[in-house]
């Protein structure tokens, strides 16, 4: 879990798994409407210690939990200890300031039982005069929907500039509202002094698996060619390190890379912004996908790392590679995706964020359909209804040598194994068989 000392974290579930039916068919396994929007809102502030440096501490928590069982209380304490670390991952290098542009980012915490919580953060400078320290408003939720929570954080920030007291009733109203189904809207009533009662509409995107993603962030910083090198490395579950200074850039780009794997799910260490005290995560021998602030580059390069792909998001280049990234994807499929990405990246085509998300996702889902879309016909079903995947026949059915070479590696990955495990449990009766 991210709370563990080694900083290991399972994948953020940016998209639900799609185990049955056609590859790319949508599912709403992960997103059930009617859940609470969030578990906690916490405020993390910087407190000056005796030696003069600053440490992040939780200074406000809503709601306060009481009457918890012993196990629940221990889990809650672990969660609350981990949050400040991820709200200020850049450590104690702070001093009071007069100006600061607020930023939005997110992190993932994985519990011992494998369940995930997402922290949606807005770092801002409280209103006032003179020098002061930034603080982070962090909403902890089990629900993945970055756009929706960004809008909620806009409302929190607006209220923070008036008074902390105005935030509480808004969050209470939000907590009492059910999480909307895809494409639906929930309306929150909120009173603001001198403005009166406001109605805030929160609409959830129709396409559930894209609601935590901003592919435009990736396309703006990396060439389509580099994106495919990164995708190929992620597909083979290698070690990936992303570098940028802004937490929002790291957060957005890493979520986007993980989402390129849809309908498969990254199933290893996944930390969009690694706190300074956990930089030795890069020495991990197992696969990981992590974001590190550029200021720590030298320290990272000094670590005794195994082979890893290191990507500079500021300069749009690869700092260190394994060396075979160009050859991983079959040439024909790679060229098709390059054409598709270049078209979406063209300045002649002005697309909305939602259109870019849909177009990019479609290109990568189509790639997986072409490569492994025949998996369902190679699950042998027993009389009891349980399925058994016939890996050898599945690989043999691929006529292209370059595609078969890649698939033989891909079937050994955790993400493919998890996908097939779900598919073996999920037989859908064929038409006419009841």
């Amino acid at each position: 879990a991210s709370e563990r000392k080694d900083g290991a974290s399972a994948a953020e579930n940016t998209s639900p798994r799609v185990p049955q039916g056609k590859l790319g068919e949508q599912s709403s396994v992960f997103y059930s409407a009617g859940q609470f929007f969030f578990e906690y809102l916490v405020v993390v502030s910087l407190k000056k210690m005796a030696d003069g440096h600053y440490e992040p501490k939780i200074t406000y928590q809503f709601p306060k939990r009481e009457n918890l069982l012993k196990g629940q209380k221990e889990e809650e304490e672990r969660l609350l200890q981990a949050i400040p670390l991820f709200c200020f991952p850049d450590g104690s290098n702070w001093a009071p300031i007069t100006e600061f542009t607020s930023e939005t980012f997110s992190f993932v915490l994985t519990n011992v039982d494998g369940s995930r919580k997402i922290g949606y953060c807005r770092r801002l400078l409280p209103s006032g005069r003179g020098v002061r320290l930034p603080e982070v408003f962090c909403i902890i939720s089990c629900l993945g929907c970055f756009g929706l929570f960004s809008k909620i954080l806009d409302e929190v920030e607006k209220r923070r500039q008036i008074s902390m007291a105005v935030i509480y009733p808004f969050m209470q109203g939000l907590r009492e509202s059910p999480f909307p189904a895809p494409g639906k809207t929930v309306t929150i009533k909120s009173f603001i002094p001198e403005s009166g009662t406001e109605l805030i509409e929160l609409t959830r995107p129709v396409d559930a698996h894209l609601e935590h993603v901003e592919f435009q962030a990736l396309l703006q910083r990396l060439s389509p060619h580099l994106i495919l090198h990164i995708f190929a490395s992620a597909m083979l579950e290698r070690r990936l390190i992303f570098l940028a200074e802004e937490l929002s850039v790291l957060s957005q780009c890493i979520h986007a890379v993980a989402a390129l794997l849809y309908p498969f799910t990254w199933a290893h260490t996944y930390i969009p912004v690694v706190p300074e005290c956990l930089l030795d995560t890069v020495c991990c021998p197992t696969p990981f996908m992590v974001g590190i602030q550029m200021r720590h580059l030298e320290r990272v390069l000094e670590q005794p790392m195994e082979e890893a792909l290191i990507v500079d998001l500021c300069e749009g280049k690869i700092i260190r590679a394994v060396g075979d990234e160009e050859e991983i994807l079959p040439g024909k499929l790679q060229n098709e995706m390059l054409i598709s990405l270049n078209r979406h990246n063209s300045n002649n085509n002005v697309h909305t964020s939602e259109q870019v998300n849909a177009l990019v996702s479609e290109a990568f889902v189509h790639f997986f359909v072409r490569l492994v879309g025949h998996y369902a016909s190679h699950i042998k079903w027993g009389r009891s209804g349980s399925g058994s995947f016939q890996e050898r026949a599945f690989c043999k059915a691929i006529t292209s040598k370059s595609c078969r070479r890649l698939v033989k590696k891909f079937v050994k990955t955790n993400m493919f194994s998890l996908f097939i495990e779900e598919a073996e449990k999920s037989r859908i009766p064929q038409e006419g068989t009841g």
Side-chain angles (χ1 to χ4, degrees):
S2 292
E3 300 100 307
R4 289 205 318 249
K5 200 175 178 182
D6 61 6
S9 159
E12 171 166 357
N13 207 343
T14 53
S15 56
R17 277 196 209 129
V18 186
Q20 69 270 34
K22 293 176 185 173
L23 195 69
E25 177 184 309
Q26 283 177 32
S27 155
S28 57
V29 175
F30 184 64
Y31 302 94
S32 56
Q35 290 188 55
F36 277 135
F37 263 89
F38 68 97
E39 289 191 17
Y40 293 103
L41 166 74
V42 298
V43 180
V44 178
S45 306
L46 291 163
K47 294 290 177 188
K48 196 167 190 175
M49 309 311 285
D51 62 0
H53 82 280
Y54 290 94
E55 260 189 34
K57 302 278 183 189
I58 291 176
T59 52
Y60 177 86
Q61 175 192 329
F62 169 77
K64 287 207 169 9
R65 294 284 179 90
E66 292 168 0
N67 306 320
L68 291 176
L69 298 172
K70 189 185 174 187
Q72 292 173 316
K73 200 158 192 174
E74 285 170 1
E75 186 184 322
E76 184 187 356
E77 281 170 9
R78 275 200 305 273
L79 172 72
L80 294 173
Q81 280 170 8
I83 290 170
L85 202 59
F86 289 88
C87 287
F88 282 96
D90 30 13
S92 55
N93 305 323
W94 285 95
I97 47 180
T98 54
E99 286 183 17
F100 181 77
T101 305
S102 62
E103 56 183 344
T104 310
F105 57 98
S106 63
F107 60 84
V108 185
L109 296 174
T110 307
N111 292 323
V112 179
D113 64 0
S115 62
R116 300 178 182 95
K117 296 183 195 296
I118 303 170
Y120 298 96
C121 301
R122 176 69 54 88
R123 191 187 276 179
L124 54 88
L125 199 61
S127 61
R129 290 181 181 177
V131 294
R132 52 210 187 278
L133 289 159
E135 59 191 13
V136 174
F137 283 78
C138 175
I139 299 172
I140 300 291
S141 177
C142 297
L143 304 161
C145 190
F146 194 83
L148 205 62
F149 282 95
S150 290
K151 192 171 179 185
I152 291 166
L153 287 166
D154 288 344
E155 295 296 331
V156 168
E157 182 170 1
K158 186 165 82 178
R159 284 157 179 73
R160 176 64 185 104
Q161 304 312 332
I162 302 166
S163 159
M164 278 292 289
V166 192
I167 297 172
Y168 175 83
F170 168 67
M171 296 307 288
Q172 181 65 38
L174 187 67
R175 193 167 163 75
E176 289 166 1
S177 302
F179 193 64
K184 301 297 180 189
T185 300
V186 67
T187 305
I188 314 288
K189 280 185 180 179
S190 179
F191 177 78
I192 295 185
E194 296 179 19
S195 300
T197 300
E198 284 189 1
L199 294 178
I200 297 146
E201 291 193 341
L202 298 169
T203 303
R204 194 169 154 205
V206 176
D207 205 340
H209 92 271
L210 294 176
E211 60 187 354
H212 199 69
V213 185
E214 195 65 67
F215 286 128
Q216 195 73 59
L218 208 56
L219 290 165
Q220 283 168 351
R221 288 169 180 85
L222 300 173
S223 70
H225 217 83
L226 285 188
I227 291 171
L228 290 186
H229 285 186
I230 293 162
F231 167 71
S233 300
M235 193 181 158
L236 295 185
E237 295 185 332
R238 293 180 171 181
R239 287 170 284 277
L240 292 99
I241 300 170
F242 296 87
L243 297 159
E245 196 51 47
E246 299 93 343
L247 306 185
S248 52
V249 170
L250 285 173
S251 181
Q252 283 181 341
C253 289
I254 293 183
H255 292 321
V257 170
L260 294 176
L261 298 168
Y262 179 81
F264 302 93
T265 305
W266 180 262
H268 297 279
T269 299
Y270 178 85
I271 313 177
V273 183
V274 176
E276 188 177 4
C277 61
L278 296 178
L279 285 179
D280 60 357
T281 299
V282 299
C283 302
C284 200
T286 53
F288 57 73
M289 194 184 294
V290 300
I292 289 171
Q293 286 184 289
M294 187 58 81
R295 68 183 76 171
H296 302 308
L297 175 58
E298 278 187 36
R299 275 179 65 186
V300 168
L301 295 176
E302 286 165 4
Q303 301 285 340
M305 274 188 291
E306 299 201 23
E307 281 187 324
L309 183 73
I310 305 179
V311 182
D312 181 342
L313 294 168
C314 303
E315 297 287 330
K317 65 181 184 183
I318 288 174
I319 292 177
R320 189 182 285 180
V322 174
D324 64 348
E325 286 82 4
E326 185 68 53
E327 292 100 51
I328 296 172
L329 302 178
K332 191 180 176 188
L333 292 181
Q334 183 164 260
N335 287 336
E336 283 178 11
M337 285 208 288
L338 274 175
I339 290 165
S340 189
L341 287 177
N342 278 316
R343 189 169 66 242
H344 306 150
N345 215 13
S346 165
N347 291 330
N348 303 329
N349 296 331
V350 180
H351 295 301
T352 65
S353 172
E354 287 78 12
Q355 286 171 325
V356 171
N357 283 350
L359 291 166
V360 172
S361 180
E362 188 183 305
F364 284 87
V365 168
H366 183 65
F367 166 84
F368 281 124
V369 170
R370 293 277 301 275
L371 194 70
V372 295
H374 60 298
Y375 78 94
S377 56
H378 292 279
I379 296 176
K380 192 175 181 180
W381 297 100
R383 287 186 178 180
S384 64
S386 62
S388 174
F389 180 60
Q390 310 296 298
E391 185 183 303
R392 200 172 167 193
F394 166 75
C395 292
K396 210 172 174 182
I398 300 166
T399 52
S400 158
K401 282 184 181 175
S402 58
C403 286
R404 198 185 312 134
R405 190 166 58 242
L406 173 58
V407 169
K408 279 184 175 178
K409 292 177 183 173
F410 185 52
V411 294
K412 303 300 180 192
T413 62
N414 260 11
M415 71 178 93
F416 187 81
S417 299
L418 289 168
F419 183 90
I420 289 300
E421 272 175 35
E422 290 296 318
E424 287 171 336
K425 297 178 206 163
S426 317
R427 188 172 195 181
I428 297 176
Q430 298 301 309
E431 248 180 87
T433 63

